Amino acid sequence: MRKFLLIYFSAYQVIVLKVVDGAKELPDNFDSKLKDAINANKENLNFYIAGEMPNVPVFEESWNFTIGDDIMHGGFINQALKTGEEYVIFQRAVTRVKDVGKC
């Protein structure tokens, strides 16, 4: 019998990277260090999750997301940006795996 996995995009995350020393890419191991803005600041990281939006297919229009609005989005604070700083914004899809049985 084979085991099947159902994989779907359950949410989308917005990641903010503050450019430091000209670095405009996330480090190779960013995923293991990725935190909310408060914990990223505590750990002196220059990147953080600014928000998470669920993948709800019933929406007919695109999501609008304002970077740095200082509002909570999906459990993450979208920290206000600092004037004069340079930032790079990334978006990623988050998947969760469900075991749907055997055949």
Side-chain angles (χ1 to χ4, degrees), residues 23-59:
K24 295 183 178 184
E25 295 290 328
L26 291 165
D28 290 338
N29 62 347
F30 82 93
D31 195 47
S32 63
K33 296 180 178 180
L34 200 54
K35 314 250 184 256
D36 59 51
I38 293 167
N39 287 311
N41 287 337
K42 288 178 185 176
E43 295 185 29
N44 203 29
L45 297 173
N46 63 323
F47 54 90
Y48 58 91
I49 300 173
E52 180 174 300
M53 289 67 62
N55 179 19
V56 183
V58 296
F59 287 103

Side-chain angles (χ1 to χ4, degrees), residues 6 8 18 27 29 36-37 49 65 67 73 80 83 95 98:
L6 176 62
Y8 62 97
K18 179 180 172 185
N29 62 347
D36 59 51
I49 300 173
F65 189 88
I67 304 296
H73 296 276
T83 303
T95 60
K98 284 190 176 180

Side-chain angles (χ1 to χ4, degrees), residues 47-92:
F47 54 90
Y48 58 91
I49 300 173
E52 180 174 300
M53 289 67 62
N55 179 19
V56 183
V58 296
F59 287 103
E60 294 180 12
E61 295 182 23
S62 298
W63 286 93
N64 290 316
F65 189 88
T66 302
I67 304 296
D69 65 7
D70 230 5
I71 296 174
M72 190 75 74
H73 296 276
F76 298 93
I77 187 69
N78 184 15
Q79 180 174 287
L81 304 179
K82 296 180 182 174
T83 303
E85 298 289 347
E86 184 178 0
Y87 298 89
V88 179
I89 310 304
F90 298 89
Q91 177 184 332
R92 74 175 184 170

